[in-house]
Coordinates of all heavy atoms in Angstrom, one line a residue:
M1 N 34.1 21.0 2.7 CA 32.9 21.6 3.0 C 32.5 21.2 4.6 O 32.6 20.1 4.8 CB 31.8 21.2 2.1 CG 30.4 21.4 2.5 SD 29.3 20.7 1.2 CE 28.2 22.1 1.1
G2 N 32.3 22.1 5.3 CA 31.9 21.9 6.7 C 30.3 21.7 6.9 O 29.7 22.1 6.0
S3 N 30.0 21.2 8.0 CA 28.7 21.0 8.3 C 28.4 21.9 9.6 O 29.3 22.0 10.5 CB 28.2 19.7 8.6 OG 29.0 19.0 9.6
L4 N 27.3 22.3 9.8 CA 26.8 23.0 10.9 C 26.3 22.1 12.0 O 25.9 21.0 11.8 CB 25.6 24.0 10.6 CG 25.8 25.0 9.4 CD1 24.6 25.8 9.1 CD2 27.0 26.0 10.0
P5 N 26.5 22.6 13.2 CA 26.1 21.7 14.3 C 24.5 21.6 14.3 O 23.8 22.5 13.7 CB 26.5 22.5 15.6 CG 26.6 23.9 15.2 CD 27.1 23.8 13.7
P6 N 23.9 20.6 14.8 CA 22.5 20.4 14.7 C 21.9 21.5 15.6 O 22.4 22.0 16.6 CB 22.3 19.0 15.4 CG 23.5 18.7 16.2 CD 24.6 19.5 15.5
P7 N 20.6 21.8 15.4 CA 19.8 22.9 16.2 C 19.7 22.3 17.7 O 19.5 21.1 17.8 CB 18.5 23.0 15.5 CG 18.4 21.8 14.6 CD 19.7 21.2 14.4
K8 N 19.7 23.3 18.7 CA 19.4 22.9 19.9 C 17.9 22.5 20.1 O 17.2 23.1 19.5 CB 19.8 23.9 20.8 CG 21.4 24.3 20.7 CD 22.0 24.7 22.0 CE 23.3 25.3 21.8 NZ 24.4 24.2 21.9
T9 N 17.6 21.5 20.8 CA 16.3 21.2 21.2 C 16.1 21.5 22.7 O 16.8 21.1 23.5 CB 15.9 19.8 20.8 OG1 16.8 19.0 21.4 CG2 16.0 19.6 19.3
R10 N 14.9 21.9 23.0 CA 14.6 22.0 24.5 C 13.8 20.8 24.9 O 13.0 20.3 24.2 CB 13.6 23.3 24.6 CG 14.4 24.6 24.5 CD 13.4 25.7 24.8 NE 12.0 25.5 24.5 CZ 11.0 26.3 24.7 NH1 11.3 27.4 25.4 NH2 9.9 26.1 24.3
E11 N 14.1 20.4 26.0 CA 13.4 19.3 26.7 C 12.2 19.8 27.4 O 12.3 20.8 28.0 CB 14.3 18.5 27.6 CG 15.5 17.8 27.0 CD 15.0 16.5 26.3 OE1 14.1 15.9 26.7 OE2 15.6 16.2 25.3
F12 N 11.1 19.0 27.3 CA 9.8 19.4 28.0 C 10.1 19.1 29.5 O 10.8 18.2 29.8 CB 8.7 18.5 27.6 CG 8.2 18.9 26.2 CD1 8.5 17.9 25.2 CD2 7.7 20.0 25.9 CE1 8.0 18.2 23.9 CE2 7.2 20.3 24.7 CZ 7.4 19.5 23.6
A13 N 9.5 19.9 30.3 CA 9.6 19.7 31.8 C 8.8 18.4 32.1 O 7.9 17.9 31.5 CB 8.9 20.9 32.6
D14 N 9.3 17.7 33.2 CA 8.8 16.4 33.6 C 7.3 16.4 33.8 O 6.6 15.4 33.8 CB 9.5 15.8 34.7 CG 11.0 15.3 34.4 OD1 11.1 15.1 33.1 OD2 11.8 15.4 35.3
S15 N 6.8 17.6 34.2 CA 5.4 17.6 34.6 C 4.4 17.9 33.5 O 3.4 17.9 33.6 CB 5.1 18.8 35.6 OG 5.6 20.0 35.1
T16 N 4.9 18.1 32.2 CA 4.1 18.4 31.1 C 3.6 17.1 30.6 O 4.2 16.0 30.6 CB 5.0 19.1 30.0 OG1 5.9 18.3 29.5 CG2 5.4 20.5 30.4
I17 N 2.5 17.3 29.9 CA 1.7 16.2 29.2 C 2.5 15.6 28.2 O 2.7 14.3 27.8 CB 0.3 16.5 28.8 CG1 -0.4 15.2 28.3 CG2 0.4 17.5 27.5 CD1 -1.0 14.5 29.5
E18 N 3.3 16.4 27.3 CA 4.2 15.9 26.2 C 5.3 15.0 26.7 O 5.4 13.9 26.1 CB 4.9 17.1 25.6 CG 4.0 18.1 24.8 CD 3.5 19.2 25.6 OE1 3.6 19.1 27.0 OE2 3.1 20.2 25.0
K19 N 5.9 15.4 27.8 CA 7.0 14.6 28.4 C 6.5 13.2 28.8 O 7.1 12.1 28.7 CB 7.8 15.3 29.5 CG 8.8 14.6 30.2 CD 10.0 14.6 29.2 CE 11.3 14.1 30.0 NZ 12.3 14.2 29.1
K20 N 5.3 13.2 29.6 CA 4.7 12.0 30.1 C 4.3 11.1 29.0 O 4.5 9.8 29.0 CB 3.5 12.3 30.9 CG 3.8 13.1 32.2 CD 2.5 13.4 33.0 CE 2.9 14.2 34.2 NZ 1.7 14.6 35.0
V21 N 3.7 11.6 27.9 CA 3.3 10.7 26.7 C 4.6 10.2 25.9 O 4.5 8.9 25.8 CB 2.5 11.6 25.7 CG1 2.2 10.8 24.5 CG2 1.0 11.9 26.4
Y22 N 5.5 11.0 25.8 CA 6.7 10.4 25.1 C 7.5 9.5 26.0 O 8.1 8.6 25.5 CB 7.6 11.6 24.7 CG 7.3 12.2 23.4 CD1 6.3 13.3 23.3 CD2 7.6 11.7 22.1 CE1 5.9 13.9 22.1 CE2 7.1 12.3 20.9 CZ 6.4 13.4 20.9 OH 5.8 13.9 19.8
N23 N 7.4 9.6 27.3 CA 8.1 8.7 28.1 C 7.3 7.3 28.2 O 8.0 6.2 28.1 CB 8.1 9.1 29.6 CG 9.1 10.2 30.0 OD1 10.2 10.4 29.2 ND2 9.0 11.0 30.9
I24 N 6.1 7.3 28.0 CA 5.3 6.1 27.7 C 5.8 5.4 26.5 O 6.1 4.2 26.5 CB 3.7 6.3 27.7 CG1 3.3 6.7 29.1 CG2 3.0 5.1 27.3 CD1 1.8 7.2 29.2
V25 N 5.9 6.1 25.5 CA 6.3 5.6 24.2 C 7.8 5.0 24.4 O 8.0 3.8 23.8 CB 6.2 6.5 23.0 CG1 6.9 6.1 21.8 CG2 4.8 7.0 22.8
Q26 N 8.7 5.7 24.9 CA 9.9 5.3 25.2 C 10.0 3.9 26.0 O 10.7 3.1 25.8 CB 10.9 6.3 25.8 CG 11.4 7.3 24.8 CD 12.3 6.8 23.8 OE1 11.8 6.7 22.6 NE2 13.2 6.0 24.2
W27 N 9.2 3.8 26.9 CA 9.0 2.7 27.8 C 8.8 1.4 26.9 O 9.1 0.3 27.3 CB 8.1 3.0 28.9 CG 8.1 1.9 30.1 CD1 9.1 1.8 31.0 CD2 7.2 1.1 30.4 NE1 8.8 0.8 31.7 CE2 7.6 0.3 31.5 CE3 5.9 0.6 29.9 CZ2 6.9 -0.8 32.1 CZ3 5.2 -0.3 30.5 CH2 5.6 -1.0 31.5
F28 N 7.9 1.6 26.0 CA 7.6 0.5 25.1 C 8.4 0.4 23.8 O 8.0 -0.3 22.8 CB 6.1 0.7 24.6 CG 5.1 0.5 25.7 CD1 4.1 1.5 26.0 CD2 5.0 -0.7 26.4 CE1 3.3 1.3 27.1 CE2 4.1 -0.9 27.3 CZ 3.2 0.1 27.7
S29 N 9.6 1.0 23.9 CA 10.6 1.0 22.8 C 11.0 -0.5 22.4 O 11.4 -0.7 21.3 CB 11.8 1.7 23.0 OG 12.5 1.2 24.1
T30 N 10.9 -1.5 23.4 CA 11.2 -2.8 22.9 C 10.2 -3.4 21.9 O 10.5 -4.3 21.0 CB 11.2 -3.9 24.1 OG1 9.9 -3.7 24.7 CG2 12.3 -3.5 25.1
F31 N 9.0 -2.9 21.8 CA 7.9 -3.3 20.9 C 8.0 -2.5 19.6 O 7.5 -2.8 18.5 CB 6.6 -3.2 21.6 CG 6.4 -4.0 22.7 CD1 5.9 -3.5 23.9 CD2 6.7 -5.5 22.8 CE1 5.8 -4.2 25.0 CE2 6.4 -6.2 23.8 CZ 6.1 -5.5 25.0
L32 N 8.7 -1.2 19.6 CA 8.8 -0.4 18.5 C 10.3 -0.1 18.3 O 10.9 0.8 18.8 CB 8.1 0.9 18.9 CG 6.6 1.0 18.8 CD1 6.1 2.3 19.5 CD2 6.1 0.8 17.4
P33 N 10.9 -1.1 17.4 CA 12.4 -0.8 17.2 C 12.8 0.3 16.4 O 13.9 0.8 16.5 CB 12.7 -2.1 16.6 CG 11.6 -2.7 15.9 CD 10.4 -2.1 16.9
I34 N 11.9 0.9 15.8 CA 12.2 2.1 14.8 C 11.8 3.3 15.5 O 10.7 3.6 15.9 CB 11.5 2.0 13.5 CG1 11.7 0.5 12.8 CG2 11.7 3.1 12.5 CD1 10.9 0.3 11.5
E35 N 12.9 4.3 15.5 CA 12.7 5.5 16.3 C 11.6 6.3 15.7 O 11.0 7.0 16.4 CB 14.0 6.2 16.5 CG 14.0 7.4 17.3 CD 15.3 8.2 17.3 OE1 16.2 7.7 16.9 OE2 15.4 9.3 17.9
N36 N 11.6 6.4 14.4 CA 10.5 7.3 13.9 C 9.2 6.8 14.2 O 8.3 7.7 14.3 CB 10.7 7.4 12.2 CG 9.9 8.5 11.6 OD1 9.9 9.4 12.2 ND2 9.4 8.1 10.4
D37 N 8.9 5.6 14.2 CA 7.6 4.9 14.6 C 7.3 5.5 16.1 O 6.2 5.8 16.4 CB 7.6 3.4 14.7 CG 7.5 2.9 13.2 OD1 7.4 3.7 12.3 OD2 7.7 1.7 13.0
R38 N 8.4 5.5 16.9 CA 8.1 5.9 18.3 C 7.7 7.4 18.4 O 6.7 7.9 19.1 CB 9.3 5.7 19.2 CG 9.5 4.1 19.5 CD 10.6 4.0 20.5 NE 11.9 4.5 20.2 CZ 13.0 3.7 19.6 NH1 12.7 2.5 19.4 NH2 14.1 4.4 19.4
N39 N 8.4 8.3 17.5 CA 8.1 9.7 17.3 C 6.7 9.9 16.9 O 6.0 10.7 17.4 CB 9.2 10.3 16.4 CG 10.5 10.4 17.1 OD1 10.6 10.4 18.5 ND2 11.5 10.5 16.3
R40 N 6.3 9.1 15.8 CA 5.0 9.3 15.2 C 3.9 8.9 16.2 O 2.8 9.6 16.4 CB 4.9 8.5 14.0 CG 3.6 8.7 13.1 CD 3.6 8.0 11.8 NE 4.3 6.7 11.9 CZ 5.3 6.3 11.2 NH1 5.9 7.0 10.5 NH2 5.8 5.0 11.4
L41 N 4.1 7.8 16.9 CA 3.1 7.4 18.0 C 3.2 8.4 18.9 O 1.9 8.7 19.6 CB 3.6 6.0 18.5 CG 2.6 5.3 19.6 CD1 1.2 5.1 19.1 CD2 3.2 4.1 20.1
G42 N 4.3 8.9 19.5 CA 4.1 10.0 20.6 C 3.4 11.1 20.3 O 2.6 11.6 21.0
F43 N 3.5 11.5 19.0 CA 2.8 12.8 18.6 C 1.4 12.4 18.5 O 0.5 13.3 18.9 CB 3.3 13.2 17.2 CG 2.5 14.5 16.7 CD1 2.9 15.7 17.3 CD2 1.7 14.4 15.6 CE1 2.0 16.7 16.7 CE2 0.9 15.3 15.2 CZ 1.2 16.7 15.8
G44 N 0.9 11.3 17.9 CA -0.4 10.9 17.9 C -1.0 10.8 19.3 O -2.2 11.2 19.4
L45 N -0.4 10.2 20.2 CA -0.9 10.2 21.6 C -1.0 11.4 22.3 O -1.9 11.7 23.0 CB -0.1 9.1 22.4 CG -0.1 7.7 22.0 CD1 1.0 6.9 22.8 CD2 -1.5 7.1 22.2
Y46 N -0.1 12.3 22.0 CA -0.2 13.7 22.5 C -1.5 14.4 22.0 O -2.1 15.0 22.7 CB 1.1 14.5 22.1 CG 0.9 15.9 22.4 CD1 0.9 16.6 23.6 CD2 0.7 16.8 21.4 CE1 0.7 17.9 24.1 CE2 0.4 18.3 21.5 CZ 0.5 18.7 22.8 OH 0.1 20.0 23.1
K47 N -1.7 14.2 20.6 CA -2.9 14.8 20.1 C -4.2 14.2 20.8 O -5.1 14.9 21.0 CB -2.9 14.7 18.6 CG -1.9 15.4 17.9 CD -2.0 16.8 17.9 CE -2.6 17.2 16.7 NZ -2.8 18.7 16.7
Y48 N -4.1 12.9 21.1 CA -5.3 12.2 21.7 C -5.4 12.9 23.1 O -6.6 13.1 23.4 CB -5.0 10.8 21.7 CG -5.9 10.0 22.6 CD1 -7.3 9.9 22.3 CD2 -5.5 9.5 23.9 CE1 -8.2 9.2 23.2 CE2 -6.4 8.8 24.6 CZ -7.9 8.6 24.3 OH -8.6 8.0 25.1
M49 N -4.4 13.0 23.8 CA -4.6 13.4 25.2 C -4.9 14.9 25.2 O -5.6 15.4 26.2 CB -3.1 13.3 25.9 CG -2.8 12.0 26.2 SD -3.9 11.0 27.2 CE -3.4 11.7 28.8
T50 N -4.9 15.6 24.2 CA -5.2 17.1 24.2 C -6.7 17.1 23.5 O -7.1 18.3 23.2 CB -4.3 18.0 23.4 OG1 -4.1 17.5 22.0 CG2 -2.9 18.1 24.2
G51 N -7.2 16.0 23.2 CA -8.6 16.0 22.6 C -8.6 16.3 21.1 O -9.8 16.5 20.5
E52 N -7.7 16.1 20.4 CA -7.7 16.3 18.9 C -7.4 15.0 18.1 O -7.6 15.0 17.0 CB -6.5 17.3 18.5 CG -6.7 18.7 19.2 CD -5.5 19.7 18.7 OE1 -5.0 19.3 17.6 OE2 -5.3 20.5 19.5
G53 N -6.9 13.9 18.7 CA -6.5 12.8 18.0 C -7.3 11.5 18.3 O -8.4 11.6 18.9
D54 N -7.0 10.4 17.5 CA -7.7 9.2 17.8 C -7.1 8.4 18.9 O -6.1 8.6 19.5 CB -7.5 8.3 16.6 CG -8.0 8.8 15.3 OD1 -9.1 9.5 15.2 OD2 -7.4 8.7 14.2
P55 N -8.1 7.6 19.6 CA -7.7 6.8 20.7 C -6.6 5.8 20.3 O -6.4 5.4 19.1 CB -8.9 6.1 21.1 CG -9.9 6.2 19.9 CD -9.4 7.4 19.1
P56 N -5.9 5.3 21.3 CA -4.7 4.2 20.9 C -5.1 3.0 20.1 O -4.4 2.7 19.2 CB -4.3 3.8 22.4 CG -4.7 4.9 23.2 CD -6.0 5.5 22.6
E57 N -6.4 2.6 20.2 CA -6.9 1.4 19.5 C -6.9 1.8 17.9 O -6.5 0.9 17.2 CB -8.3 1.0 19.9 CG -8.4 0.5 21.3 CD -8.5 1.6 22.3 OE1 -8.8 2.8 22.0 OE2 -8.1 1.3 23.5
I58 N -7.2 3.0 17.6 CA -7.4 3.3 16.2 C -5.9 3.8 15.8 O -5.6 3.5 14.7 CB -8.3 4.4 16.0 CG1 -9.8 3.9 16.3 CG2 -8.3 5.0 14.6 CD1 -10.9 5.0 16.3
L59 N -5.2 4.5 16.6 CA -3.9 5.1 16.2 C -2.9 4.0 16.0 O -2.2 4.1 15.0 CB -3.4 6.0 17.4 CG -2.2 6.8 17.2 CD1 -2.4 7.8 16.1 CD2 -1.8 7.5 18.5
V60 N -3.0 3.0 16.7 CA -2.0 1.8 16.4 C -2.2 1.2 15.1 O -1.3 0.8 14.4 CB -2.1 0.8 17.5 CG1 -1.3 -0.5 17.1 CG2 -1.5 1.3 18.9
K61 N -3.5 1.2 14.7 CA -3.7 0.5 13.4 C -3.4 1.6 12.2 O -2.9 1.0 11.2 CB -5.3 0.2 13.3 CG -5.8 -0.8 14.2 CD -7.3 -1.0 14.0 CE -7.8 -2.1 15.0 NZ -9.4 -2.0 14.9
T62 N -3.7 2.7 12.3 CA -3.6 3.8 11.3 C -2.1 4.3 11.3 O -1.8 4.8 10.2 CB -4.6 4.9 11.5 OG1 -4.3 5.6 12.6 CG2 -6.0 4.3 11.3
S63 N -1.3 4.0 12.2 CA 0.0 4.7 12.1 C 1.0 3.8 11.3 O 2.2 4.3 11.2 CB 0.6 5.0 13.5 OG -0.1 5.8 14.2
K64 N 0.6 2.7 10.9 CA 1.5 1.8 10.3 C 2.9 1.5 10.9 O 4.0 1.5 10.5 CB 1.9 2.3 8.8 CG 0.7 2.5 8.0 CD 1.0 2.9 6.6 CE -0.2 3.2 5.8 NZ 0.1 3.7 4.5
L65 N 2.8 1.1 12.2 CA 3.9 0.8 13.1 C 4.4 -0.5 12.8 O 3.7 -1.5 12.6 CB 3.4 1.0 14.6 CG 2.8 2.3 15.0 CD1 2.2 2.1 16.4 CD2 3.8 3.4 14.9
K66 N 5.7 -0.8 13.0 CA 6.2 -1.9 12.8 C 6.5 -2.5 14.2 O 7.4 -2.2 14.9 CB 7.6 -2.0 12.2 CG 7.4 -1.5 10.6 CD 8.6 -2.0 9.8 CE 8.5 -1.5 8.3 NZ 7.8 -2.4 7.5
L67 N 5.6 -3.4 14.6 CA 5.6 -3.8 16.1 C 6.5 -5.2 16.1 O 6.4 -5.9 15.2 CB 4.2 -4.2 16.6 CG 3.3 -2.9 16.7 CD1 1.9 -3.4 17.1 CD2 3.8 -2.0 17.8
S68 N 7.1 -5.4 17.2 CA 7.9 -6.5 17.4 C 7.6 -7.3 18.8 O 7.7 -6.8 19.8 CB 9.4 -6.1 17.5 OG 10.3 -7.3 17.8
G69 N 7.1 -8.5 18.5 CA 6.8 -9.3 19.7 C 5.5 -9.1 20.4 O 5.3 -9.6 21.6
I70 N 4.6 -8.4 19.8 CA 3.4 -8.1 20.3 C 2.3 -7.8 19.2 O 2.6 -7.4 18.2 CB 3.4 -6.8 21.3 CG1 2.1 -6.8 22.2 CG2 3.7 -5.6 20.6 CD1 2.4 -5.7 23.3
T71 N 1.0 -8.1 19.6 CA 0.0 -7.9 18.5 C -0.4 -6.4 18.6 O -0.3 -5.8 19.8 CB -1.2 -8.8 18.8 OG1 -1.9 -8.4 20.1 CG2 -1.0 -10.3 18.8
P72 N -1.1 -5.9 17.7 CA -1.5 -4.4 17.7 C -2.6 -4.3 18.9 O -2.6 -3.3 19.6 CB -2.2 -4.1 16.3 CG -1.3 -5.1 15.5 CD -1.1 -6.4 16.3
K73 N -3.4 -5.3 19.0 CA -4.5 -5.2 20.1 C -3.9 -5.2 21.5 O -4.2 -4.3 22.3 CB -5.5 -6.3 19.9 CG -6.4 -6.5 21.1 CD -7.6 -5.6 20.8 CE -8.7 -5.9 21.9 NZ -8.9 -5.0 23.0
E74 N -2.9 -6.0 21.7 CA -2.2 -6.0 23.0 C -1.5 -4.8 23.4 O -1.5 -4.2 24.4 CB -1.2 -7.2 23.1 CG -1.9 -8.5 23.1 CD -1.0 -9.7 23.1 OE1 0.2 -9.5 22.5 OE2 -1.2 -10.8 23.5
F75 N -0.8 -4.2 22.2 CA -0.2 -2.9 22.3 C -0.9 -1.8 22.7 O -0.7 -1.0 23.5 CB 0.7 -2.7 21.0 CG 1.6 -1.6 21.1 CD1 2.8 -1.6 22.0 CD2 1.6 -0.6 20.3 CE1 3.6 -0.6 22.1 CE2 2.5 0.6 20.4 CZ 3.4 0.5 21.3
A76 N -2.1 -1.7 22.0 CA -3.1 -0.5 22.1 C -3.6 -0.7 23.5 O -3.8 0.3 24.3 CB -4.2 -0.7 21.2
D77 N -3.9 -1.9 24.1 CA -4.3 -2.1 25.5 C -3.3 -1.5 26.5 O -3.6 -0.9 27.5 CB -4.7 -3.5 25.7 CG -6.0 -4.0 24.9 OD1 -6.7 -3.1 24.5 OD2 -6.1 -5.2 24.8
K78 N -2.1 -2.0 26.3 CA -1.0 -1.6 27.2 C -0.8 0.0 27.2 O -0.8 0.7 28.2 CB 0.4 -2.1 26.9 CG 0.4 -3.6 27.1 CD 1.8 -4.1 26.7 CE 1.9 -5.6 27.0 NZ 2.1 -6.0 28.4
I79 N -0.9 0.6 26.0 CA -0.8 2.0 25.9 C -2.0 2.7 26.6 O -1.9 3.7 27.4 CB -0.8 2.5 24.5 CG1 0.7 2.1 23.8 CG2 -0.9 4.1 24.4 CD1 0.8 2.3 22.5
S80 N -3.2 2.2 26.4 CA -4.5 2.7 27.0 C -4.3 2.7 28.6 O -4.7 3.7 29.3 CB -5.6 2.0 26.6 OG -5.9 2.1 25.3
T81 N -3.8 1.6 29.1 CA -3.7 1.4 30.4 C -2.7 2.6 31.0 O -3.0 3.2 32.2 CB -3.1 0.0 30.8 OG1 -4.1 -0.8 30.3 CG2 -3.0 -0.1 32.5
E82 N -1.6 2.7 30.4 CA -0.6 3.7 30.9 C -1.2 5.2 30.6 O -0.8 6.0 31.6 CB 0.7 3.6 30.0 CG 1.5 2.3 30.4 CD 1.8 2.2 31.8 OE1 2.3 3.1 32.4 OE2 1.8 1.0 32.3
L83 N -1.9 5.3 29.6 CA -2.4 6.8 29.5 C -3.5 7.1 30.6 O -3.6 8.2 30.9 CB -3.1 6.9 28.1 CG -2.2 7.0 27.0 CD1 -3.0 6.9 25.6 CD2 -1.2 8.0 27.1
E84 N -4.2 6.2 31.1 CA -5.2 6.4 32.2 C -4.5 6.7 33.4 O -5.1 7.5 34.2 CB -5.9 5.0 32.4 CG -6.9 4.7 31.3 CD -8.1 5.7 31.2 OE1 -8.5 6.3 32.1 OE2 -8.3 6.1 30.0
K85 N -3.3 6.3 33.6 CA -2.6 6.6 34.8 C -2.2 8.1 34.9 O -2.1 8.7 35.9 CB -1.2 5.8 35.0 CG -1.6 4.2 35.2 CD -0.2 3.5 35.2 CE -0.5 2.1 35.3 NZ 0.8 1.4 35.3
I86 N -2.1 8.8 33.6 CA -1.5 10.0 33.6 C -2.8 11.1 33.4 O -2.4 12.3 33.4 CB -0.4 10.4 32.5 CG1 -0.9 10.1 31.2 CG2 0.8 9.5 32.9 CD1 0.0 10.5 30.0
K87 N -3.9 10.6 33.2 CA -5.0 11.5 33.0 C -5.3 12.3 34.4 O -5.3 12.0 35.4 CB -6.2 10.9 32.5 CG -6.1 10.6 31.0 CD -7.4 10.1 30.5 CE -7.4 9.9 29.0 NZ -8.6 9.4 28.4

């Protein structure tokens, strides 16, 4: 039984808000060792930046992230600082 190749994914342009938000999450990957946590956080932050989601302080608490080497409060503060740079 053979398997099909994975579907092709399009990368966002560097100037889009999606790419900027997901880059922030990737930059903090040392604190988030699980890739699915990074994807979930990136989506939540994107929703926040488009006016539909919760701020980072609430998002970090409710997303059930497995953080490594940092407290949730410190992590939310770092994310908030980075998001202010791209607004």
Side-chain angles (χ1 to χ4, degrees):
M1 173 182 220
S3 62
L4 298 174
K8 300 211 186 271
T9 56
R10 286 189 321 177
E11 291 288 324
F12 292 109
D14 289 337
S15 61
T16 62
I17 192 73
E18 293 93 343
K19 184 71 168 183
K20 291 176 182 179
V21 169
Y22 278 93
N23 282 341
I24 289 172
V25 173
Q26 275 303 118
W27 192 68
F28 289 120
S29 65
T30 56
F31 302 124
L32 287 169
I34 300 173
E35 185 176 350
N36 194 37
D37 285 351
R38 292 191 298 266
N39 291 335
R40 188 173 43 241
L41 180 62
F43 179 73
L45 292 174
Y46 166 71
K47 297 294 268 183
Y48 168 69
M49 293 298 286
T50 58
E52 297 179 30
D54 294 325
E57 296 80 22
I58 295 173
L59 191 60
V60 169
K61 289 180 187 177
T62 60
S63 295
K64 299 180 182 178
L65 304 172
K66 294 202 186 271
L67 297 174
S68 174
I70 194 169
T71 66
K73 171 85 171 104
E74 292 172 334
F75 188 62
D77 291 342
K78 287 181 181 283
I79 291 173
S80 294
T81 302
E82 293 299 318
L83 290 177
E84 287 299 320
K85 293 178 184 177
I86 64 171
K87 279 190 176 178

